[in-house]
Amino acid sequence: MKIRDVYQRLFDLLPVQKVWSKQPVTEREGYFFGFHDHSPFSADNGKLLANKFDIPLKMPGNGDQLEIGFFSGPNWTTFTPLQKTSAWNWHQGCKLQWRGNLNECVYNDHVDGKTFARVYNTDSGVMHNLPEAISSISGDGRYAVGYSFARVERYMPGYGYQHETGEPDLEKPVTSN
């Protein structure tokens, strides 16, 4: 991990090129979405999911939280906070994503030693929990797939979550038959 930290610090010293795009790019300081494999836009393009952070740029620790919410309005300028989460990383956020064409967002959280997903309806404010953490939801919102974020953190630090979960056999490599 020390090699990774030195590597990252070296790249922090390099000058950053300006962003170039054929389409206008709007930056919102203190917000990010996550990995490129999900779209932050709702089915009707009226809402833009975002993670809001207020910690320095460092690896998140057990007590560090993100606020999740969405931008709406003209050019998505109004931020509406929804909830907070403790299960996140800089690469993927909390795997925040829309559930099909519904006005429901899904994200991972960690409470009392357990990492799981939450489903939050942005219209009604009703929330329910799924039994496990998720990675991706099918386009129709009916199915989800997940994996052990504790295992990922153990073998690929920075891409999992920093929490102890009590999962058995984390030290044993997974093999296929």
Side-chain angles (χ1 to χ4, degrees):
M1 293 199 3
K2 290 192 185 286
I3 293 172
R4 179 202 64 209
D5 293 344
V6 169
Y7 176 81
Q8 287 177 340
R9 284 191 189 109
L10 286 174
F11 276 93
D12 287 343
L13 298 174
L14 295 176
V16 178
Q17 292 183 340
K18 284 193 110 5
V19 175
W20 181 89
S21 173
K22 288 183 178 182
Q23 301 298 319
V25 174
T26 302
E27 289 184 56
R28 290 177 174 82
E29 191 72 31
Y31 297 89
F32 74 105
F33 175 65
F35 213 57
H36 60 81
D37 59 344
H38 301 113
S39 173
F41 293 97
S42 61
D44 66 1
N45 283 327
K47 296 175 183 153
L48 175 69
L49 289 172
N51 297 298
K52 181 179 180 185
F53 65 94
D54 60 3
I55 67 168
L57 190 56
K58 65 174 182 67
M59 296 308 281
N62 283 329
D64 295 327
Q65 290 188 317
L66 282 181
E67 185 169 44
I68 65 158
F70 62 86
F71 285 96
S72 60
N75 200 26
W76 302 285
T77 53
T78 303
F79 183 73
T80 302
L82 299 175
Q83 296 288 314
K84 291 192 176 197
T85 179
S86 296
W88 66 282
N89 61 52
W90 290 112
H91 302 287
Q92 302 171 337
C94 56
K95 298 301 281 186
L96 181 61
Q97 56 200 290
W98 293 104
R99 182 174 168 235
N101 293 329
L102 305 172
N103 278 331
E104 292 182 340
C105 63
V106 181
Y107 63 97
N108 291 328
D109 200 357
H110 184 88
V111 177
D112 296 330
K114 175 81 173 140
T115 303
F116 57 95
R118 295 188 188 267
V119 180
Y120 185 90
N121 186 300
T122 61
D123 293 331
S124 68
V126 172
M127 181 170 55
H128 68 274
N129 298 335
L130 299 176
E132 300 293 333
I134 57 95
S135 174
S136 293
I137 300 172
S138 63
D140 63 7
R142 293 177 57 203
Y143 304 99
V145 65
Y147 48 81
S148 167
F149 287 89
R151 182 173 291 279
V152 171
E153 183 62 26
R154 170 72 175 88
Y155 292 100
M156 202 162 111
Y159 284 86
Y161 302 145
Q162 294 280 333
H163 307 288
E164 292 295 325
T165 60
E167 290 180 40
D169 302 326
L170 279 182
E171 300 302 316
K172 286 182 172 177
V174 175
T175 58
S176 60
N177 296 339

